[in-house]
Amino acid sequence: MREKRIRRAGLAAGLALTLATVAGCSSDGGDNDEPINTGDESSASPDAEGGEAEDEAALVALYEAYWEAVTASENGEELDSALFEDITTKGVMEQELGRINTYKEQGVLREGAPVIENVTVTVEGDTARIEACKNEADWPLVQDGEQMEGVLPESLTVPHPNGVTAERSDGNWLITGSVPQEEAVISC
């Protein structure tokens, strides 16, 4: 098992943990659903020279892309499943869009982005775990154009552990689920 820590602050427009923690609904770690078939098949191999470093870089990029998709979905007016293609399994995409749609139906959006720091990638063969410290203080909920005060619990507005799992499928890494906060290895 190889572990690498990478420090990132304010990743491009939003690494974010899902609003699921606010709703009291979160992934149970996810069933490893069938990946979204996009036809793009990489030949990356963990045994290839430089494979570990390539996997770590690919997983950090995947994590950034995932939270950019979640942030864009939560901040925007419309849901777009294409944001999650090549990033998540179909099941994770459907779970995220369903959760976010619940808020959109109530006219609730988000503005800004959370701060993500201390990204940690652990790769074991074709599975991986990505954890980071997240703070949602600068990613408020907005309804009818007004910031909703006091809605986010204090536990989300201070650095706290967040994680996802990933698997390599046909040479590409995909997010397969979330890591419950109480199972996080990192501390913030």
Side-chain angles (χ1 to χ4, degrees), residues 48 58 77 108 125 127 139 146 150:
E77 295 285 334
V108 176
T127 62
W139 197 36
E146 306 237 350

Side-chain angles (χ1 to χ4, degrees), residues 25-33 95 165 176-180 182-183:
C25 161
S26 66
S27 169
D28 62 0
D31 294 326
N32 292 329
D33 296 320
Q95 181 179 6
T165 57
T176 57
S178 64
V179 175
E182 62 274 7
E183 294 178 18

Side-chain angles (χ1 to χ4, degrees), residues 12-187:
L15 292 175
L17 181 55
T18 64
L19 190 55
T21 52
V22 176
C25 161
S26 66
S27 169
D28 62 0
D31 294 326
N32 292 329
D33 296 320
E34 291 299 314
I36 297 171
N37 184 4
T38 61
D40 180 23
E41 295 186 22
S42 170
S43 61
S45 167
D47 298 326
E49 186 175 310
E52 288 180 3
E54 289 175 13
D55 283 344
E56 291 166 356
L59 287 160
V60 169
L62 179 71
Y63 187 69
E64 290 173 356
Y66 176 64
W67 295 119
E68 287 174 8
V70 171
T71 301
S73 295
E74 291 194 28
N75 288 7
E77 295 285 334
E78 300 294 323
L79 292 177
D80 182 3
S81 63
L83 292 171
F84 293 91
E85 288 182 10
D86 297 324
I87 298 170
T88 70
T89 60
K90 185 177 179 182
V92 171
M93 175 201 60
E94 289 172 350
Q95 181 179 6
E96 289 295 339
L97 294 176
R99 180 190 57 75
I100 295 167
N101 189 54
T102 301
Y103 291 98
K104 292 198 180 301
E105 288 174 347
Q106 298 171 19
V108 176
L109 303 173
R110 296 192 90 167
E111 288 182 350
V115 173
I116 303 293
E117 298 179 308
N118 302 325
V119 176
T120 302
V121 174
T122 305
V123 178
E124 229 177 290
D126 287 337
T127 62
R129 185 172 173 137
I130 310 163
E131 295 186 12
C133 294
K134 182 183 67 85
N135 179 336
E136 296 184 28
D138 295 328
W139 197 36
L141 295 163
V142 176
Q143 187 172 38
D144 299 323
E146 306 237 350
Q147 187 171 327
M148 299 170 69
E149 298 293 330
V151 176
L152 289 175
E154 186 177 334
S155 62
L156 296 180
T157 60
V158 296
H160 58 279
N162 170 279
V164 297
T165 57
E167 284 190 16
R168 187 187 340 252
S169 176
D170 296 326
N172 295 313
W173 289 100
L174 296 172
I175 301 291
T176 57
S178 64
V179 175
Q181 188 172 350
E182 62 274 7
E183 294 178 18
V185 176
I186 65 168
S187 59

